[in-house]
Amino acid sequence: EAQVTQNPRYLITVTGKKLTVTCSQNMNHEYMSWYRQDPGLGLRQIYYSMNVEVTDKGDVPEGYKVSRKEKRNFPLILESPSPNQTSLYFCASNRIGGNTEAFFGQGTRLTVV
Amino acid sequence: AQSVSQHNHHVILSEAASLELGCNYSYGGTVNLFWYVQYPGQHLQLLLKYFSGDPLVKGIKGFEAEFIKSKFSFNLRKPSVQWSDTAEYFCAVLSGNTGKLIFGQGTTLQVKP
């Protein structure tokens, strides 16, 4: 089954404690991305990757890091989380080119206290 | 810059009323168009998609959307809403060339029984 798997689904952490949210896809997609969803702001792209070892900033990259060492995995790293990073996060993957659609993970609800 | 604009931020309807949610995008290249729905506390779910061909596309749960190229619009419609349609709706555009998916701000639909 084609899917994007995100973990954890829920996370409560304290300010400054490093955390990683994992994302894995099994569709051999080139493009992977992270979004955060906030009320009234929709989904905004944090970082994206067009292939292995190729990553770039999205619209709201401050305070986040990513890596793409393998095609299937695209973890989101918060080195020093702050309360303004409390949000709902989605990972997505899709092909590049032609008729393509994005597949989404189940979401990670992060609370930073 | 590429952007997606949803006209209505919050819509309240009674059951059996007709629904139309507006969506306009700005992008000059090849685009793939989507509507997603997010029920309370859940992840994104694809309602419908448009790649090419017939500009009137039908999706799940009785939803349809019309692509009007000259107006850069992709409006979502449903002839008769139900209480269970209460959710947040997102219009999105995916660039075929870059793979980037851009979302509108979202529309919260509240259907009163």
Side-chain angles (χ1 to χ4, degrees):
Chain A
E1 180 190 356
Q3 61 183 1
V4 177
T5 304
Q6 244 180 276
N7 282 297
R9 294 287 310 278
Y10 301 92
L11 180 59
I12 301 174
T13 191
V14 297
T15 299
K17 185 177 181 181
K18 181 179 178 180
L19 66 92
T20 300
V21 184
T22 63
C23 175
S24 181
Q25 51 98 359
N26 62 359
M27 296 163 280
N28 203 36
H29 286 162
E30 306 92 346
Y31 194 99
M32 296 186 74
S33 53
W34 277 101
Y35 295 85
R36 61 177 288 172
Q37 183 183 1
D38 301 290
L41 298 176
L43 284 89
R44 295 176 293 167
Q45 191 181 59
I46 303 170
Y47 265 94
Y48 67 94
S49 168
M50 298 181 78
N51 216 324
V52 175
E53 302 291 3
V54 180
T55 63
D56 210 343
K57 296 177 180 178
D59 302 313
V60 287
E62 293 76 21
Y64 304 94
K65 286 175 56 178
V66 292
S67 69
R68 188 90 181 272
K69 296 178 182 176
E70 306 162 286
K71 200 169 188 179
R72 63 184 293 122
N73 296 323
F74 191 47
L76 178 69
I77 302 156
L78 283 73
E79 294 270 3
S80 183
S82 62
N84 65 13
Q85 293 177 299
T86 293
S87 187
L88 178 59
Y89 292 85
F90 288 100
C91 178
S93 77
N94 52 270
R95 288 187 296 107
I96 297 174
N99 299 338
T100 180
E101 67 177 272
F103 291 79
F104 286 87
Q106 298 278 310
T108 296
R109 186 164 292 282
L110 171 66
T111 303
V112 183
V113 298
Chain B
Q2 304 164 29
S3 66
V4 178
S5 176
Q6 291 182 234
H7 308 163
N8 318 97
H9 297 296
H10 198 154
V11 174
I12 303 173
L13 296 173
S14 298
E15 275 195 316
S18 65
L19 170 72
E20 180 159 2
L21 301 181
C23 173
N24 286 89
Y25 66 94
S26 68
Y27 183 69
T30 302
V31 292
N32 302 315
L33 301 165
F34 306 89
W35 276 96
Y36 292 91
V37 61
Q38 186 179 36
Y39 298 103
Q42 296 191 24
H43 61 92
L44 292 169
Q45 182 177 354
L46 182 66
L47 265 182
L48 47 78
K49 58 190 176 186
Y50 174 79
F51 293 148
S52 62
D54 189 343
L56 186 62
V57 293
K58 295 191 183 300
I60 61 171
K61 307 188 181 191
F63 286 91
E64 63 179 33
E66 184 176 12
F67 170 56
I68 303 179
K69 189 174 182 179
S70 61
K71 295 184 178 180
F72 295 90
S73 70
F74 190 55
N75 293 352
L76 181 72
R77 299 195 290 250
K78 186 171 184 178
S80 176
V81 295
Q82 301 171 313
W83 176 79
S84 58
D85 292 324
T86 294
E88 190 156 18
Y89 292 82
F90 293 96
C91 179
V93 171
L94 195 156
S95 164
N97 296 331
T98 67
K100 183 171 183 177
L101 182 66
I102 301 172
F103 286 89
Q105 308 93 315
T107 298
T108 301
L109 172 65
Q110 183 181 353
V111 180
K112 294 184 174 180

